[in-house]
């Protein structure tokens, strides 16, 4: 059944991570259990999201420079995909700009950075510090994380502050375990926002360097 299939996949993953261990593995194998629990523990840390951003940052800055995108700039409808490596695997990121015309207000300018979540396992919302829940967005239902969780995203916030040249006045982190997505929204001013999202995606290459189906 499904459980046997899952167990088989887990053992296969362990074998990939530890080819040097040639002894037969079973569910009661201590080395396997320790490794699996450790691996799962690492994969549910919110700080992993910041690690993905850190890996993507050098190439992201290069893309922004090539596109001549700076803070508070009105650049309509730019969409650029680029490649970066995290966990020895190639992934695709996306940079997008949006200019929204609003009645009786200045235009709202938004810079979006979209990144893959690199297999981050989304914990159920009940296990996290939640500020609000039941928020409808992107055809899904999200919760907002309590500000006590914001330090997990300090790499991202530090870049936003460096990019805009000012401290972040307000940020919101939208989280959905069902949609496997984390969206950070930085409200730099009434007229300028930065969004950084982490969503499910397929890698461009595996560790051996073979191209995956696009």
């Amino acid at each position: 059944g499904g459980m046997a299939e899952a167990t088989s996949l887990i053992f296969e993953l362990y074998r990939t991570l530890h080819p040097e261990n040639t002894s037969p593995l079973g569910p009661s194998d201590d080395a396997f259990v320790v490794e699996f629990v450790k691996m799962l523990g690492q994969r549910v840390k919110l700080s992993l999201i910041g690690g993905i951003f850190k890996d993507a940052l050098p190439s992201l800055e290069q893309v922004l420079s090539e596109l001549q995108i700076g803070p508070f700039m009105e650049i309509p409808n730019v969409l650029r995909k680029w490649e970066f490596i995290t966990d020895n695997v190639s992934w695709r990121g996306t940079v997008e700009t949006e200019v929204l015309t609003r009645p009786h207000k200045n235009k709202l300018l938004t810079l979006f950075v979209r990144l893959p979540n690199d297999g981050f396992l989304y914990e159920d919302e009940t296990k996290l510090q939640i500020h609000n829940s039941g928020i409808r967005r992107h055809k899904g239902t999200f919760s907002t994380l309590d500000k006590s969780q914001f330090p997990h995203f300090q790499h991202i916030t530090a870049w936003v502050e460096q990019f805009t040249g000012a401290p972040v006045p307000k940020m919101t982190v939208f989280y959905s375990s069902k949609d496997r997505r984390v969206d950070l929204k930085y409200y730099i001013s009434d007229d300028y926002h930065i969004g950084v999202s982490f969503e499910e995606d397929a890698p461009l290459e595996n560790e051996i360097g073979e191209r995956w189906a696009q």
Side-chain angles (χ1 to χ4, degrees):
M3 183 57 81
E5 201 174 298
T7 306
S8 159
L9 279 170
I10 290 161
F11 285 134
E12 198 178 313
L13 178 59
Y14 180 88
R15 279 269 175 258
T16 308
L17 292 170
H18 295 280
E20 76 286 354
N21 186 346
T22 52
S23 62
L25 278 175
S28 61
D29 185 278
D30 288 346
F32 165 74
V33 171
V34 167
E35 181 68 30
F36 183 57
V37 168
K38 188 172 82 178
M39 187 181 72
L40 273 186
Q42 288 169 344
R43 285 285 163 198
V44 293
K45 285 180 184 165
L46 280 171
S47 52
L48 274 178
I49 293 288
I52 296 167
F53 184 83
K54 211 173 170 184
D55 288 342
L57 185 54
S59 51
L60 166 63
E61 289 189 319
Q62 196 177 331
V63 168
L64 291 172
S65 172
E66 284 170 13
L67 295 171
Q68 299 184 321
I69 293 176
F72 308 101
M73 289 174 64
E74 184 178 329
I75 308 173
N77 307 324
V78 165
L79 178 64
R80 169 72 70 88
K81 296 179 188 293
W82 89 96
E83 288 185 31
F84 69 97
I85 292 173
T86 186
D87 271 359
N88 300 313
V89 182
S90 291
W91 298 86
R92 181 188 287 116
T94 306
V95 164
E96 195 174 344
T97 62
E98 180 184 84
V99 177
L100 193 65
T101 305
R102 304 179 290 182
H104 316 298
K105 274 187 173 184
N106 290 339
K107 292 172 183 173
L108 173 61
L109 315 176
T110 307
L111 171 65
F112 293 103
V113 178
R114 295 192 171 88
L115 296 169
N117 58 28
D118 183 25
F120 174 78
L121 298 178
Y122 285 79
E123 283 199 287
D124 188 81
E125 280 76 353
T126 55
K127 295 178 181 170
L128 295 169
Q129 298 285 325
I130 297 296
H131 176 63
N132 262 329
S133 55
I135 298 159
R136 299 288 299 170
R137 63 198 308 271
H138 302 303
K139 299 177 184 171
T141 304
F142 286 73
S143 297
T144 53
L145 297 187
D146 184 79
K147 58 174 66 168
S148 63
Q149 308 293 296
F150 289 1
H152 291 300
F153 311 104
Q154 59 192 5
H155 292 309
I156 306 164
T157 305
W159 171 75
V160 169
E161 293 184 338
Q162 181 196 326
F163 181 71
T164 59
V168 169
K170 184 189 171 194
M171 69 180 277
T172 303
V173 181
F174 297 95
Y175 181 99
S176 172
S177 59
K178 187 180 175 193
D179 292 307
R180 300 178 66 76
R181 180 166 171 158
V182 177
D183 292 352
L184 287 82
K185 198 74 182 278
Y186 292 93
Y187 304 90
I188 310 303
S189 71
D190 288 344
D191 309 324
Y192 187 71
H193 297 170
I194 294 178
V196 182
S197 65
F198 297 84
E199 307 167 41
E200 275 197 299
D201 197 4
L204 299 174
E205 293 180 357
N206 64 12
E207 289 85 343
I208 307 164
E210 295 167 339
R211 281 274 146 182
W212 287 38
Q214 297 290 308

